[in-house]
Amino acid sequence: MLLQNSGLGNLVNPLASLCAPYGIPALLLVSMRGHPDPERDEPQHRLMGARTATILDALGVRHAPLPTEPDGLRDAFAQARAALAGRRCFALLVVAARSPAASRRPRPSGRR
């Protein structure tokens, strides 16, 4: 399942009342809005970005950042496979890479 972390709140009930008690595994690919520069993002993304891991922990959903290097990918996928084989959910957290050019862009007006 692909989602933004700002929509994670919509999954709390299905994860807690369906996936966990009935052992329905799900692989979540969660784009981490509000990272790596929360001040350059929308307020709701900053709020959820700071709390995504805490929410997943509270729900018992194991998680790991999605690495960009091959060795790290193998390890993250192995963790995901183990969780799914155990009939548990697993979340891969996708953090956007920031290029030097992107960090020089001015913030949109109206944002602090």
Side-chain angles (χ1 to χ4, degrees):
M1 179 177 326
L2 179 63
L3 65 140
Q4 291 182 2
N5 62 344
S6 58
L8 183 60
N10 296 325
L11 279 183
V12 169
N13 190 43
L15 290 171
S17 63
L18 292 173
C19 293
Y22 296 106
I24 300 171
L27 177 62
L28 309 175
L29 294 171
V30 183
S31 70
M32 296 294 291
R33 301 295 303 266
H35 285 278
D37 185 1
E39 292 304 314
R40 292 191 178 270
D41 214 328
E42 299 294 329
Q44 69 273 18
H45 298 156
R46 291 192 298 261
L47 182 67
M48 288 301 289
R51 290 162 181 81
T52 299
T54 302
I55 293 168
L56 291 170
D57 289 340
L59 293 168
V61 175
R62 295 180 187 152
H63 53 88
L66 181 65
T68 56
E69 67 282 344
D71 288 339
L73 285 171
R74 277 189 283 279
D75 182 50
F77 291 154
Q79 290 179 58
R81 275 192 302 276
L84 297 174
R87 299 177 52 120
R88 299 192 52 147
C89 295
F90 191 85
L92 289 168
L93 308 179
V94 183
V95 178
R98 296 292 294 212
S99 69
S103 64
R104 288 192 300 268
R105 280 188 292 204
R107 285 189 283 208
S109 62
R111 292 189 190 161
R112 296 193 280 142

